[in-house]
Amino acid sequence: MANDTIQEFDAAIKRCRELYVAKLGDYGPSWRIMRPCSITDQIFIKAKRIRQIEETGVSKVGDGILGEFIAIVNYGIMGLIQLSKGWSDTKDISSQEAVALYDKYMNETRELMISKNHDYDEAWRGMRISSYTDFILMKIERTKEIENHSGETCVSEGIDANYKDMVNYAIFGIIKLSE
């Protein structure tokens, strides 16, 4: 079962990465001007929209739930990049560097999923998609609290761990919606 998860995870990553690269072609790495807290809020907007669609069954603009999970993945990786490099007043990296950084942080996030999936014995497969949404929203609230404390925690994981968890839950959503 774990090998299926890795293959499904990699297929979802490929889908997210393709959109990320296409948007870099349109806009370049313009997201570099966003502070991490703004990225957290962007992920919040996406997760709230998913919950609204889940609750009402109505989507009045373009993308549905799948597109929003893809956006959460990509913004989560952008958040990890911003945490590591700091934000900038300009597009200070090339699109090629933005892709290389995406791959670096996505690989770290993938490795985390593999380790947690082993320990939790594929528990995500028995979960509802709406639970992924709720867990992402919870991780956003945790991240906002940590951001409000200047990134400091006493005993908890940091912002980066929360971004990685958001990305992984969103990828599980993509996998389930693609089945």
Side-chain angles (χ1 to χ4, degrees):
M1 195 62 91
N3 284 339
D4 289 343
T5 295
I6 293 170
Q7 290 172 344
E8 292 167 329
F9 203 86
D10 288 345
I13 289 171
K14 181 177 187 263
R15 187 174 194 174
C16 296
R17 187 181 187 278
E18 286 171 353
L19 182 61
Y20 176 83
V21 169
K23 289 205 176 215
L24 279 173
D26 289 344
Y27 308 126
S30 57
W31 49 266
R32 285 286 295 135
I33 68 165
M34 293 177 76
R35 292 170 284 188
C37 62
S38 296
I39 291 179
T40 302
D41 285 342
Q42 185 66 27
I43 296 169
F44 173 74
I45 291 167
K46 300 299 184 182
K48 286 292 283 188
R49 182 162 184 268
I50 291 170
R51 183 183 258 181
Q52 177 67 14
I53 295 168
E54 288 172 345
E55 290 298 309
T56 65
V58 177
S59 170
K60 291 191 175 186
V61 292
D63 288 340
I65 293 171
L66 180 62
E68 298 296 7
F69 275 132
I70 291 169
I72 289 170
V73 169
N74 288 341
Y75 278 110
I77 297 299
M78 288 178 217
L80 291 167
I81 294 168
Q82 296 299 73
L83 287 173
S84 72
K85 289 190 69 64
W87 57 277
S88 175
D89 285 328
T90 62
K91 296 186 292 185
D92 64 339
I93 61 174
S94 68
S95 292
Q96 294 79 11
E97 185 178 354
V99 171
L101 288 165
Y102 183 95
D103 292 342
K104 175 184 191 281
Y105 289 102
M106 183 59 82
N107 285 333
E108 285 182 11
T109 303
R110 180 182 180 274
E111 290 303 313
L112 176 66
M113 180 282 299
I114 290 168
S115 296
K116 285 187 172 185
N117 196 45
H118 172 270
D119 289 355
Y120 289 96
D121 193 29
E122 300 271 313
W124 70 272
R125 290 196 181 272
M127 294 170 60
R128 297 172 188 92
I129 294 172
S130 60
S131 293
Y132 305 142
T133 306
D134 291 349
F135 288 176
I136 291 167
L137 285 164
M138 177 193 60
K139 294 288 183 175
I140 291 166
E141 289 303 314
R142 288 179 178 181
T143 300
K144 285 180 177 183
E145 284 294 321
I146 297 168
E147 289 169 344
N148 290 342
H149 296 112
S150 303
E152 299 296 320
T153 60
C154 294
V155 296
S156 303
E157 295 176 310
I159 294 170
D160 59 336
N162 283 285
Y163 278 151
K164 287 176 182 176
D165 285 345
M166 289 180 224
V167 168
N168 282 331
Y169 285 126
I171 290 176
F172 291 151
I174 293 166
I175 292 169
K176 285 257 186 139
L177 289 168
S178 300
E179 291 178 335

PDB file of all heavy atoms in Angstrom, residues 130-157:
ATOM      1  N   SER A 130     -13.198  16.289   3.903  1.00  0.00           N
ATOM      2  CA  SER A 130     -13.534  17.449   4.737  1.00  0.00           C
ATOM      3  C   SER A 130     -12.637  17.531   5.975  1.00  0.00           C
ATOM      4  O   SER A 130     -12.369  18.634   6.477  1.00  0.00           O
ATOM      5  CB  SER A 130     -15.005  17.414   5.153  1.00  0.00           C
ATOM      6  OG  SER A 130     -15.290  16.238   5.892  1.00  0.00           O
ATOM      7  N   SER A 131     -12.134  16.396   6.450  1.00  0.00           N
ATOM      8  CA  SER A 131     -11.202  16.432   7.579  1.00  0.00           C
ATOM      9  C   SER A 131      -9.868  17.034   7.167  1.00  0.00           C
ATOM     10  O   SER A 131      -9.246  17.755   7.953  1.00  0.00           O
ATOM     11  CB  SER A 131     -10.987  15.028   8.150  1.00  0.00           C
ATOM     12  OG  SER A 131     -12.182  14.560   8.742  1.00  0.00           O
ATOM     13  N   TYR A 132      -9.424  16.778   5.940  1.00  0.00           N
ATOM     14  CA  TYR A 132      -8.188  17.416   5.476  1.00  0.00           C
ATOM     15  C   TYR A 132      -8.369  18.937   5.507  1.00  0.00           C
ATOM     16  O   TYR A 132      -7.477  19.668   5.934  1.00  0.00           O
ATOM     17  CB  TYR A 132      -7.809  17.006   4.051  1.00  0.00           C
ATOM     18  CG  TYR A 132      -7.690  15.524   3.805  1.00  0.00           C
ATOM     19  CD1 TYR A 132      -8.123  14.972   2.608  1.00  0.00           C
ATOM     20  CD2 TYR A 132      -7.146  14.653   4.751  1.00  0.00           C
ATOM     21  CE1 TYR A 132      -8.017  13.618   2.359  1.00  0.00           C
ATOM     22  CE2 TYR A 132      -7.038  13.301   4.506  1.00  0.00           C
ATOM     23  CZ  TYR A 132      -7.488  12.785   3.308  1.00  0.00           C
ATOM     24  OH  TYR A 132      -7.389  11.445   3.052  1.00  0.00           O
ATOM     25  N   THR A 133      -9.533  19.392   5.056  1.00  0.00           N
ATOM     26  CA  THR A 133      -9.826  20.829   5.068  1.00  0.00           C
ATOM     27  C   THR A 133      -9.757  21.371   6.490  1.00  0.00           C
ATOM     28  O   THR A 133      -9.119  22.400   6.746  1.00  0.00           O
ATOM     29  CB  THR A 133     -11.220  21.092   4.474  1.00  0.00           C
ATOM     30  OG1 THR A 133     -11.305  20.499   3.178  1.00  0.00           O
ATOM     31  CG2 THR A 133     -11.498  22.584   4.375  1.00  0.00           C
ATOM     32  N   ASP A 134     -10.417  20.677   7.415  1.00  0.00           N
ATOM     33  CA  ASP A 134     -10.425  21.136   8.810  1.00  0.00           C
ATOM     34  C   ASP A 134      -9.025  21.127   9.409  1.00  0.00           C
ATOM     35  O   ASP A 134      -8.653  22.057  10.138  1.00  0.00           O
ATOM     36  CB  ASP A 134     -11.358  20.267   9.651  1.00  0.00           C
ATOM     37  CG  ASP A 134     -12.828  20.454   9.295  1.00  0.00           C
ATOM     38  OD1 ASP A 134     -13.159  21.395   8.550  1.00  0.00           O
ATOM     39  OD2 ASP A 134     -13.650  19.650   9.772  1.00  0.00           O
ATOM     40  N   PHE A 135      -8.242  20.105   9.116  1.00  0.00           N
ATOM     41  CA  PHE A 135      -6.875  20.041   9.641  1.00  0.00           C
ATOM     42  C   PHE A 135      -6.027  21.176   9.068  1.00  0.00           C
ATOM     43  O   PHE A 135      -5.207  21.757   9.776  1.00  0.00           O
ATOM     44  CB  PHE A 135      -6.230  18.691   9.346  1.00  0.00           C
ATOM     45  CG  PHE A 135      -6.778  17.549  10.162  1.00  0.00           C
ATOM     46  CD1 PHE A 135      -6.337  16.256   9.929  1.00  0.00           C
ATOM     47  CD2 PHE A 135      -7.728  17.732  11.150  1.00  0.00           C
ATOM     48  CE1 PHE A 135      -6.823  15.181  10.677  1.00  0.00           C
ATOM     49  CE2 PHE A 135      -8.221  16.674  11.898  1.00  0.00           C
ATOM     50  CZ  PHE A 135      -7.768  15.395  11.660  1.00  0.00           C
ATOM     51  N   ILE A 136      -6.218  21.485   7.787  1.00  0.00           N
ATOM     52  CA  ILE A 136      -5.483  22.605   7.185  1.00  0.00           C
ATOM     53  C   ILE A 136      -5.877  23.903   7.876  1.00  0.00           C
ATOM     54  O   ILE A 136      -5.008  24.715   8.232  1.00  0.00           O
ATOM     55  CB  ILE A 136      -5.720  22.678   5.661  1.00  0.00           C
ATOM     56  CG1 ILE A 136      -5.039  21.480   4.960  1.00  0.00           C
ATOM     57  CG2 ILE A 136      -5.204  24.005   5.086  1.00  0.00           C
ATOM     58  CD1 ILE A 136      -5.454  21.285   3.508  1.00  0.00           C
ATOM     59  N   LEU A 137      -7.166  24.097   8.100  1.00  0.00           N
ATOM     60  CA  LEU A 137      -7.617  25.312   8.789  1.00  0.00           C
ATOM     61  C   LEU A 137      -7.042  25.395  10.202  1.00  0.00           C
ATOM     62  O   LEU A 137      -6.649  26.475  10.653  1.00  0.00           O
ATOM     63  CB  LEU A 137      -9.148  25.382   8.808  1.00  0.00           C
ATOM     64  CG  LEU A 137      -9.779  25.769   7.469  1.00  0.00           C
ATOM     65  CD1 LEU A 137     -11.268  25.442   7.456  1.00  0.00           C
ATOM     66  CD2 LEU A 137      -9.540  27.245   7.161  1.00  0.00           C
ATOM     67  N   MET A 138      -6.971  24.266  10.897  1.00  0.00           N
ATOM     68  CA  MET A 138      -6.375  24.247  12.235  1.00  0.00           C
ATOM     69  C   MET A 138      -4.887  24.619  12.159  1.00  0.00           C
ATOM     70  O   MET A 138      -4.398  25.408  12.968  1.00  0.00           O
ATOM     71  CB  MET A 138      -6.530  22.875  12.883  1.00  0.00           C
ATOM     72  CG  MET A 138      -5.859  22.773  14.257  1.00  0.00           C
ATOM     73  SD  MET A 138      -5.702  21.087  14.863  1.00  0.00           S
ATOM     74  CE  MET A 138      -4.703  20.309  13.621  1.00  0.00           C
ATOM     75  N   LYS A 139      -4.177  24.050  11.192  1.00  0.00           N
ATOM     76  CA  LYS A 139      -2.749  24.360  11.030  1.00  0.00           C
ATOM     77  C   LYS A 139      -2.546  25.840  10.698  1.00  0.00           C
ATOM     78  O   LYS A 139      -1.569  26.455  11.137  1.00  0.00           O
ATOM     79  CB  LYS A 139      -2.117  23.486   9.938  1.00  0.00           C
ATOM     80  CG  LYS A 139      -2.058  22.006  10.268  1.00  0.00           C
ATOM     81  CD  LYS A 139      -1.018  21.738  11.320  1.00  0.00           C
ATOM     82  CE  LYS A 139      -0.892  20.250  11.607  1.00  0.00           C
ATOM     83  NZ  LYS A 139       0.199  19.988  12.552  1.00  0.00           N
ATOM     84  N   ILE A 140      -3.475  26.426   9.950  1.00  0.00           N
ATOM     85  CA  ILE A 140      -3.405  27.858   9.655  1.00  0.00           C
ATOM     86  C   ILE A 140      -3.548  28.657  10.939  1.00  0.00           C
ATOM     87  O   ILE A 140      -2.780  29.600  11.175  1.00  0.00           O
ATOM     88  CB  ILE A 140      -4.486  28.260   8.628  1.00  0.00           C
ATOM     89  CG1 ILE A 140      -4.162  27.657   7.256  1.00  0.00           C
ATOM     90  CG2 ILE A 140      -4.609  29.788   8.544  1.00  0.00           C
ATOM     91  CD1 ILE A 140      -5.313  27.710   6.273  1.00  0.00           C
ATOM     92  N   GLU A 141      -4.517  28.295  11.771  1.00  0.00           N
ATOM     93  CA  GLU A 141      -4.704  29.011  13.042  1.00  0.00           C
ATOM     94  C   GLU A 141      -3.459  28.884  13.919  1.00  0.00           C
ATOM     95  O   GLU A 141      -3.039  29.856  14.547  1.00  0.00           O
ATOM     96  CB  GLU A 141      -5.946  28.508  13.776  1.00  0.00           C
ATOM     97  CG  GLU A 141      -7.247  28.924  13.119  1.00  0.00           C
ATOM     98  CD  GLU A 141      -7.392  30.437  12.970  1.00  0.00           C
ATOM     99  OE1 GLU A 141      -7.115  31.170  13.944  1.00  0.00           O
ATOM    100  OE2 GLU A 141      -7.779  30.884  11.877  1.00  0.00           O
ATOM    101  N   ARG A 142      -2.872  27.708  13.963  1.00  0.00           N
ATOM    102  CA  ARG A 142      -1.631  27.523  14.723  1.00  0.00           C
ATOM    103  C   ARG A 142      -0.520  28.404  14.162  1.00  0.00           C
ATOM    104  O   ARG A 142       0.225  29.042  14.909  1.00  0.00           O
ATOM    105  CB  ARG A 142      -1.189  26.057  14.680  1.00  0.00           C
ATOM    106  CG  ARG A 142      -2.046  25.139  15.504  1.00  0.00           C
ATOM    107  CD  ARG A 142      -1.538  23.715  15.387  1.00  0.00           C
ATOM    108  NE  ARG A 142      -2.313  22.811  16.220  1.00  0.00           N
ATOM    109  CZ  ARG A 142      -2.078  21.522  16.333  1.00  0.00           C
ATOM    110  NH1 ARG A 142      -1.058  20.967  15.680  1.00  0.00           N
ATOM    111  NH2 ARG A 142      -2.823  20.762  17.105  1.00  0.00           N
ATOM    112  N   THR A 143      -0.424  28.425  12.841  1.00  0.00           N
ATOM    113  CA  THR A 143       0.611  29.222  12.193  1.00  0.00           C
ATOM    114  C   THR A 143       0.424  30.701  12.490  1.00  0.00           C
ATOM    115  O   THR A 143       1.396  31.413  12.788  1.00  0.00           O
ATOM    116  CB  THR A 143       0.611  28.963  10.668  1.00  0.00           C
ATOM    117  OG1 THR A 143       0.864  27.568  10.450  1.00  0.00           O
ATOM    118  CG2 THR A 143       1.664  29.793   9.953  1.00  0.00           C
ATOM    119  N   LYS A 144      -0.812  31.177  12.448  1.00  0.00           N
ATOM    120  CA  LYS A 144      -1.079  32.592  12.762  1.00  0.00           C
ATOM    121  C   LYS A 144      -0.657  32.916  14.192  1.00  0.00           C
ATOM    122  O   LYS A 144      -0.083  33.980  14.448  1.00  0.00           O
ATOM    123  CB  LYS A 144      -2.560  32.906  12.575  1.00  0.00           C
ATOM    124  CG  LYS A 144      -2.998  33.013  11.134  1.00  0.00           C
ATOM    125  CD  LYS A 144      -4.483  33.331  11.077  1.00  0.00           C
ATOM    126  CE  LYS A 144      -4.987  33.516   9.679  1.00  0.00           C
ATOM    127  NZ  LYS A 144      -6.418  33.904   9.675  1.00  0.00           N
ATOM    128  N   GLU A 145      -0.934  32.011  15.115  1.00  0.00           N
ATOM    129  CA  GLU A 145      -0.514  32.232  16.511  1.00  0.00           C
ATOM    130  C   GLU A 145       1.001  32.324  16.617  1.00  0.00           C
ATOM    131  O   GLU A 145       1.536  33.205  17.296  1.00  0.00           O
ATOM    132  CB  GLU A 145      -1.026  31.108  17.420  1.00  0.00           C
ATOM    133  CG  GLU A 145      -2.494  31.199  17.757  1.00  0.00           C
ATOM    134  CD  GLU A 145      -2.836  32.402  18.606  1.00  0.00           C
ATOM    135  OE1 GLU A 145      -2.059  32.753  19.524  1.00  0.00           O
ATOM    136  OE2 GLU A 145      -3.887  33.017  18.338  1.00  0.00           O
ATOM    137  N   ILE A 146       1.691  31.425  15.934  1.00  0.00           N
ATOM    138  CA  ILE A 146       3.158  31.445  15.967  1.00  0.00           C
ATOM    139  C   ILE A 146       3.669  32.732  15.319  1.00  0.00           C
ATOM    140  O   ILE A 146       4.590  33.373  15.836  1.00  0.00           O
ATOM    141  CB  ILE A 146       3.749  30.192  15.278  1.00  0.00           C
ATOM    142  CG1 ILE A 146       3.340  28.925  16.031  1.00  0.00           C
ATOM    143  CG2 ILE A 146       5.277  30.286  15.191  1.00  0.00           C
ATOM    144  CD1 ILE A 146       3.619  27.633  15.274  1.00  0.00           C
ATOM    145  N   GLU A 147       3.064  33.132  14.203  1.00  0.00           N
ATOM    146  CA  GLU A 147       3.460  34.385  13.553  1.00  0.00           C
ATOM    147  C   GLU A 147       3.237  35.579  14.483  1.00  0.00           C
ATOM    148  O   GLU A 147       4.058  36.507  14.513  1.00  0.00           O
ATOM    149  CB  GLU A 147       2.683  34.577  12.249  1.00  0.00           C
ATOM    150  CG  GLU A 147       3.124  33.620  11.156  1.00  0.00           C
ATOM    151  CD  GLU A 147       2.210  33.591   9.939  1.00  0.00           C
ATOM    152  OE1 GLU A 147       1.053  34.078  10.007  1.00  0.00           O
ATOM    153  OE2 GLU A 147       2.649  33.048   8.913  1.00  0.00           O
ATOM    154  N   ASN A 148       2.137  35.536  15.234  1.00  0.00           N
ATOM    155  CA  ASN A 148       1.846  36.623  16.181  1.00  0.00           C
ATOM    156  C   ASN A 148       2.853  36.670  17.328  1.00  0.00           C
ATOM    157  O   ASN A 148       2.967  37.679  18.007  1.00  0.00           O
ATOM    158  CB  ASN A 148       0.436  36.492  16.740  1.00  0.00           C
ATOM    159  CG  ASN A 148      -0.629  36.775  15.696  1.00  0.00           C
ATOM    160  OD1 ASN A 148      -0.363  37.383  14.665  1.00  0.00           O
ATOM    161  ND2 ASN A 148      -1.839  36.322  15.948  1.00  0.00           N
ATOM    162  N   HIS A 149       3.569  35.553  17.531  1.00  0.00           N
ATOM    163  CA  HIS A 149       4.623  35.486  18.560  1.00  0.00           C
ATOM    164  C   HIS A 149       6.008  35.554  17.922  1.00  0.00           C
ATOM    165  O   HIS A 149       6.967  34.975  18.439  1.00  0.00           O
ATOM    166  CB  HIS A 149       4.475  34.207  19.388  1.00  0.00           C
ATOM    167  CG  HIS A 149       3.207  34.154  20.164  1.00  0.00           C
ATOM    168  ND1 HIS A 149       2.200  33.262  19.880  1.00  0.00           N
ATOM    169  CD2 HIS A 149       2.758  34.900  21.208  1.00  0.00           C
ATOM    170  CE1 HIS A 149       1.198  33.457  20.703  1.00  0.00           C
ATOM    171  NE2 HIS A 149       1.507  34.448  21.525  1.00  0.00           N
ATOM    172  N   SER A 150       6.093  36.233  16.794  1.00  0.00           N
ATOM    173  CA  SER A 150       7.366  36.430  16.080  1.00  0.00           C
ATOM    174  C   SER A 150       8.071  35.128  15.731  1.00  0.00           C
ATOM    175  O   SER A 150       9.300  35.060  15.703  1.00  0.00           O
ATOM    176  CB  SER A 150       8.300  37.327  16.905  1.00  0.00           C
ATOM    177  OG  SER A 150       7.682  38.559  17.180  1.00  0.00           O
ATOM    178  N   GLY A 151       7.290  34.087  15.483  1.00  0.00           N
ATOM    179  CA  GLY A 151       7.860  32.812  15.070  1.00  0.00           C
ATOM    180  C   GLY A 151       8.371  31.946  16.199  1.00  0.00           C
ATOM    181  O   GLY A 151       8.913  30.864  15.958  1.00  0.00           O
ATOM    182  N   GLU A 152       8.208  32.390  17.435  1.00  0.00           N
ATOM    183  CA  GLU A 152       8.733  31.661  18.593  1.00  0.00           C
ATOM    184  C   GLU A 152       7.688  30.685  19.146  1.00  0.00           C
ATOM    185  O   GLU A 152       6.510  31.005  19.236  1.00  0.00           O
ATOM    186  CB  GLU A 152       9.132  32.641  19.694  1.00  0.00           C
ATOM    187  CG  GLU A 152      10.221  33.615  19.287  1.00  0.00           C
ATOM    188  CD  GLU A 152      11.544  32.946  18.964  1.00  0.00           C
ATOM    189  OE1 GLU A 152      11.931  31.984  19.669  1.00  0.00           O
ATOM    190  OE2 GLU A 152      12.187  33.370  17.995  1.00  0.00           O
ATOM    191  N   THR A 153       8.162  29.499  19.518  1.00  0.00           N
ATOM    192  CA  THR A 153       7.313  28.527  20.219  1.00  0.00           C
ATOM    193  C   THR A 153       8.073  28.017  21.437  1.00  0.00           C
ATOM    194  O   THR A 153       9.305  28.062  21.473  1.00  0.00           O
ATOM    195  CB  THR A 153       6.959  27.324  19.309  1.00  0.00           C
ATOM    196  OG1 THR A 153       8.170  26.672  18.916  1.00  0.00           O
ATOM    197  CG2 THR A 153       6.180  27.755  18.076  1.00  0.00           C
ATOM    198  N   CYS A 154       7.316  27.538  22.408  1.00  0.00           N
ATOM    199  CA  CYS A 154       7.944  26.970  23.609  1.00  0.00           C
ATOM    200  C   CYS A 154       8.183  25.477  23.433  1.00  0.00           C
ATOM    201  O   CYS A 154       9.273  24.981  23.713  1.00  0.00           O
ATOM    202  CB  CYS A 154       7.064  27.208  24.832  1.00  0.00           C
ATOM    203  SG  CYS A 154       6.908  28.945  25.260  1.00  0.00           S
ATOM    204  N   VAL A 155       7.164  24.765  22.996  1.00  0.00           N
ATOM    205  CA  VAL A 155       7.276  23.311  22.904  1.00  0.00           C
ATOM    206  C   VAL A 155       6.778  22.761  21.562  1.00  0.00           C
ATOM    207  O   VAL A 155       6.903  21.566  21.310  1.00  0.00           O
ATOM    208  CB  VAL A 155       6.489  22.621  24.054  1.00  0.00           C
ATOM    209  CG1 VAL A 155       7.089  22.968  25.395  1.00  0.00           C
ATOM    210  CG2 VAL A 155       5.013  22.969  24.015  1.00  0.00           C
ATOM    211  N   SER A 156       6.224  23.601  20.724  1.00  0.00           N
ATOM    212  CA  SER A 156       5.581  23.141  19.494  1.00  0.00           C
ATOM    213  C   SER A 156       6.492  23.281  18.286  1.00  0.00           C
ATOM    214  O   SER A 156       7.476  24.016  18.312  1.00  0.00           O
ATOM    215  CB  SER A 156       4.304  23.946  19.258  1.00  0.00           C
ATOM    216  OG  SER A 156       3.445  23.824  20.358  1.00  0.00           O
ATOM    217  N   GLU A 157       6.101  22.579  17.225  1.00  0.00           N
ATOM    218  CA  GLU A 157       6.802  22.713  15.952  1.00  0.00           C
ATOM    219  C   GLU A 157       6.606  24.127  15.428  1.00  0.00           C
ATOM    220  O   GLU A 157       5.668  24.827  15.802  1.00  0.00           O
ATOM    221  CB  GLU A 157       6.237  21.722  14.936  1.00  0.00           C
ATOM    222  CG  GLU A 157       6.465  20.269  15.312  1.00  0.00           C
ATOM    223  CD  GLU A 157       5.813  19.327  14.322  1.00  0.00           C
ATOM    224  OE1 GLU A 157       4.621  19.507  14.019  1.00  0.00           O
ATOM    225  OE2 GLU A 157       6.516  18.413  13.868  1.00  0.00           O
TER     226      GLU A 157
END
